[in-house]
Amino acid sequence: MKTVDTIKEVREIVNQQKMQGKTVGFVPTMGFLHEGHASLIDKARQQNDFVVVSVFVNPMQFGAGEDLDSYPRDKQHDTQLCQEHGADLVFFAQVDDMYKKGFCSYVDMDILTKELCGLSRPVHFRGVCTVVNKLFNIVTPNRAYFGKKDAQQLAVIKRMVLDLNMNVEVVGCPIVRESDGLAKSSRNIYLSAEERKAALVLSQAIKIGMEQVKGGETDCKKILDKMKQHIENEPLAKIDYVKAVDCDTMQQVAEIKQPVLFAMAVYIGSTRLIDNFYTEDV
Ligand code: AMP
């Protein structure tokens, strides 16, 4: 496995592989890697000849007052995890290389980004679309792997690839959880012991919602009310949103007639956590 930190080196190495007819799988991340990221690397390893992982805390997708500076970083641990999961190349992208002086080109998206996380994080998806577009241009992958944990991001990337005719297959991968149910996240490290316990209300609410769907309930409001009620019982939790949306358009729906995504963002203390389930997966 090689680690590099310039765009030039990534291009040279990937070009060599492509000239030999190899397929390239790509896993973009912000680092501080855990088993959720590892599951994406494993999937990429199964489906491609050459696996590239990028690690980049992308300043453009953080709003003012968000956790850009405090976002956890651990290059040594990330390198080791990538090695253990059979990655071929890890790209530790650098801000100055990614955003050259005078940078002023962006990829933006309407509709899908105006709901859920897009409402409380208005600049977030412009940053995500721009950086993923750039990384796709640099890595030129055949397939790219994204977690369903960030369900809106997955929908946005799929839409961007479709709308802009990008030659990449986007593969969505299941949420990896801790043994007690909490969705794995690099941000879980922000939680105190007390908050870590309180954070279980997210996955518990997901379970409550899934049970409702399993039981045949199709009225989204009834399902959402039960989920919200559970979260509101936890004093350390503050709901940003708990919503039911169409899986592709991210627009709110009242009834389960087509595949629906139940998604939530909840503050536990000052840490904002997300979780979700798709009715398709129930
Ligand atoms: P991040 O480093 O948080 O930007 O995440 C990089 C990729 O890993 C994204 O596609 C995430 O959706 C995915 N990911 C993060 N956490 C998980 C998880 N618990 N299960 C599955 N995928 C995840």
Side-chain angles (χ1 to χ4, degrees):
M1 187 185 82
K2 271 197 173 155
T3 63
V4 297
D5 51 19
T6 66
I7 294 169
K8 188 167 171 282
E9 288 167 293
V10 175
R11 284 198 198 283
E12 282 166 7
I13 293 168
V14 171
N15 274 345
Q16 279 169 13
Q17 296 297 321
K18 289 206 146 179
M19 275 180 352
Q20 296 169 33
K22 303 270 176 75
T23 57
V24 176
F26 177 43
V27 181
T29 80
M30 296 207 299
F32 209 66
L33 303 180
H34 50 66
E35 285 163 48
H37 301 108
S39 73
L40 272 51
I41 301 172
D42 291 342
K43 190 81 183 168
R45 184 68 284 165
Q46 285 164 20
Q47 298 185 331
N48 303 275
D49 300 317
F50 193 77
V51 174
V52 183
V53 179
S54 67
V55 173
F56 183 52
V57 182
N58 173 35
M60 199 190 284
Q61 70 192 66
F62 287 78
E66 290 187 354
D67 57 344
L68 172 62
D69 294 333
S70 57
Y71 197 84
R73 292 159 167 90
D74 189 341
K75 188 172 179 177
Q76 202 184 337
H77 164 81
D78 290 350
T79 304
Q80 195 182 332
L81 184 140
C82 288
Q83 176 113 48
E84 283 168 7
H85 288 268
D88 296 298
L89 177 65
V90 190
F91 174 32
F92 289 97
Q94 305 299 306
V95 174
D96 293 355
D97 195 22
M98 292 293 283
Y99 298 110
K100 301 259 163 35
K101 195 164 175 286
F103 185 95
C104 56
S105 304
Y106 304 90
V107 180
D108 212 344
M109 187 182 295
D110 205 352
I111 303 175
L112 281 80
T113 61
K114 307 295 180 222
E115 255 295 345
L116 307 180
C117 290
L119 288 174
S120 35
R121 305 186 72 190
V123 300
H124 176 66
F125 286 109
R126 182 166 97 147
V128 169
C129 287
T130 302
V131 82
V132 170
N133 190 355
K134 285 165 65 61
L135 289 166
F136 281 0
N137 287 337
I138 294 162
V139 178
T140 64
N142 300 84
R143 300 184 189 87
Y145 297 81
F146 293 86
K148 289 183 177 179
K149 156 100 190 318
D150 300 85
Q152 186 176 19
Q153 171 174 274
L154 175 61
V156 164
I157 300 297
K158 281 185 174 165
R159 188 75 235 179
M160 177 180 78
V161 164
L162 184 68
D163 286 353
L164 301 184
N165 307 96
M166 295 176 170
N167 198 14
V168 187
E169 182 190 336
V170 176
V171 182
C173 303
I175 300 179
V176 176
R177 298 178 179 280
E178 303 287 353
S179 55
D180 61 5
L182 179 67
K184 286 195 184 260
S185 164
S186 306
R187 289 189 166 100
N188 290 348
I189 192 149
Y190 297 147
L191 301 169
S192 68
E194 195 190 357
E195 289 169 345
R196 174 66 184 74
K197 270 187 216 147
L200 286 178
V201 288
L202 281 92
S203 55
Q204 287 164 351
I206 292 296
K207 227 173 173 184
I208 290 169
M210 287 175 94
E211 272 158 20
Q212 291 291 308
V213 173
K214 233 184 258 172
E217 183 58 76
T218 58
D219 183 334
C220 293
K221 186 174 180 309
K222 283 189 186 157
I223 301 168
L224 292 168
D225 282 349
K226 288 211 162 65
M227 293 168 71
K228 283 186 206 164
Q229 234 170 46
H230 182 75
I231 299 167
E232 280 160 359
N233 280 337
E234 169 51 61
L236 291 179
K238 193 172 151 280
I239 292 174
D240 178 359
Y241 66 78
V242 183
K243 285 181 178 173
V245 297
D246 176 273
C247 282
D248 298 319
T249 64
M250 299 288 112
Q251 303 306 292
Q252 289 193 66
V253 291
E255 215 188 322
I256 305 175
K257 285 190 257 177
Q258 74 267 44
V260 172
L261 169 73
F262 283 81
M264 60 172 72
V266 177
Y267 285 93
I268 302 293
S270 56
T271 304
R272 187 173 175 279
L273 300 175
I274 56 173
D275 205 339
N276 68 72
F277 73 94
Y278 294 81
T279 53
E280 280 177 314
D281 295 338
V282 169

